[in-house]
Amino acid sequence: DGGITQSPKYLFRKEGQNVTLSCEQNLNHDAMYWYRQDPGQGLRLIYYSQIVNDFQKGDIAEGYSVSREKKESFPLTVTSAQKNPTAFYLCASKTGTGGLGGANVLTFGAGSRLTVL
Amino acid sequence: AQSVAQPEDQVNVAEGNPLTVKCTYSVSGNPYLFWYVQYPNRGLQFLLKYITGDNLVKGSYGFEAEFNKSQTSFHLKKPSALVSDSALYFCAVRDRTGANNLFFGTGTRLTVIP
């Protein structure tokens, strides 16, 4: 079955540690996204990538980094510079980019819950 | 700038009654509008979208939404609520420029009471 796989589902981190969240899709989608979800704040865009080896900052990119070396993979690193990293992280993808891809639907992974101890 | 407002954090409705989850948007030009649903500790699932044409859009699980350009609204509706509809609902908007990013509302938690 096609879909998006996020791992790990739950992750605990000590303060000062970097952690990497994995996102893999087998949908052959062009664009991939990382969102952060906090209670009462909806989803906020961290980073997105429309093609391999290219990515752009979203609304809350500070303290995060990404790479897009393969079309299928878009890992997110939460660095020690992120002051409040405890949250639920969602990866998504869609086919099509630019204006023509605007109507296309995002497919989401099941999420990764990061807790800082 | 694009934005989406979901004015109600929580909506409670009795099973079998009609439900409405409200959404208003702000975008330059004509929007693409979406509704997604999230069950606990899961990702979001697509319900329906408005692109163009008929203002009444029908989606999954018996949900529908009406696009109202003059009121810049896209309220989600269902004629008869089920307990299994209890979840967190997100409205989202995307403009038709090349930027192509999706902006989400803060979500409305729907609880259907048996």
Side-chain angles (χ1 to χ4, degrees):
Chain A
D1 289 339
I4 298 180
T5 301
Q6 289 187 241
S7 62
K9 190 172 178 65
Y10 298 96
L11 183 61
F12 298 90
R13 188 194 94 173
K14 294 181 180 179
E15 285 194 24
Q17 286 182 333
N18 292 355
V19 294
T20 297
L21 307 181
S22 170
C23 178
E24 302 280 332
Q25 55 101 356
N26 61 3
L27 300 165
N28 199 33
H29 284 175
D30 305 296
M32 298 186 74
Y33 303 79
W34 274 105
Y35 289 90
R36 170 177 170 144
Q37 184 177 12
D38 297 281
Q41 296 195 50
L43 275 68
R44 294 181 290 167
L45 182 64
I46 305 172
Y47 269 98
Y48 65 101
S49 167
Q50 299 197 62
I51 56 173
V52 174
N53 292 322
D54 188 47
F55 47 83
Q56 284 78 41
K57 293 182 179 180
D59 300 319
I60 56 165
E62 185 176 352
Y64 299 97
S65 66
V66 293
S67 63
R68 186 88 185 277
E69 297 177 2
K70 299 185 300 182
K71 188 175 184 179
E72 304 79 29
S73 179
F74 192 41
L76 173 74
T77 297
V78 184
T79 75
S80 57
Q82 170 50 237
K83 298 306 179 188
N84 185 21
T86 294
F88 191 51
Y89 291 88
L90 288 162
C91 180
S93 70
K94 75 173 180 69
T95 190
T97 59
L100 291 176
N104 294 339
V105 171
L106 283 176
T107 299
F108 283 84
S112 293
R113 186 169 297 281
L114 173 62
T115 302
V116 173
L117 303 174
Chain B
Q2 300 171 82
S3 66
V4 176
Q6 293 182 243
E8 301 159 315
D9 293 335
Q10 174 82 41
V11 170
N12 297 325
V13 63
E15 186 177 21
N17 283 2
L19 69 87
T20 299
V21 182
K22 296 180 180 177
C23 171
T24 59
Y25 67 90
S26 174
V27 67
S28 51
N30 294 318
Y32 296 121
L33 291 157
F34 303 80
W35 275 102
Y36 288 83
V37 61
Q38 184 181 33
Y39 297 99
N41 294 310
R42 302 297 303 274
L44 277 65
Q45 298 176 28
F46 169 72
L47 276 180
L48 51 81
K49 66 180 178 181
Y50 170 80
I51 303 174
T52 188
D54 194 347
N55 290 342
L56 184 63
V57 178
K58 293 188 183 295
S60 307
Y61 313 119
F63 284 94
E64 58 188 29
E66 185 167 10
F67 172 63
N68 188 317
K69 188 172 183 178
S70 63
Q71 297 186 6
T72 61
S73 67
F74 190 56
H75 301 330
L76 181 70
K77 299 182 179 183
K78 187 174 182 181
S80 179
L82 300 173
V83 173
S84 58
D85 293 330
S86 298
L88 188 57
Y89 290 81
F90 289 96
C91 182
V93 66
R94 181 185 285 136
D95 68 21
R96 296 179 187 237
T97 69
N100 214 227
N101 290 335
L102 195 59
F103 289 83
F104 286 87
T106 52
T108 298
R109 185 163 301 281
L110 172 68
T111 300
V112 181
I113 303 164

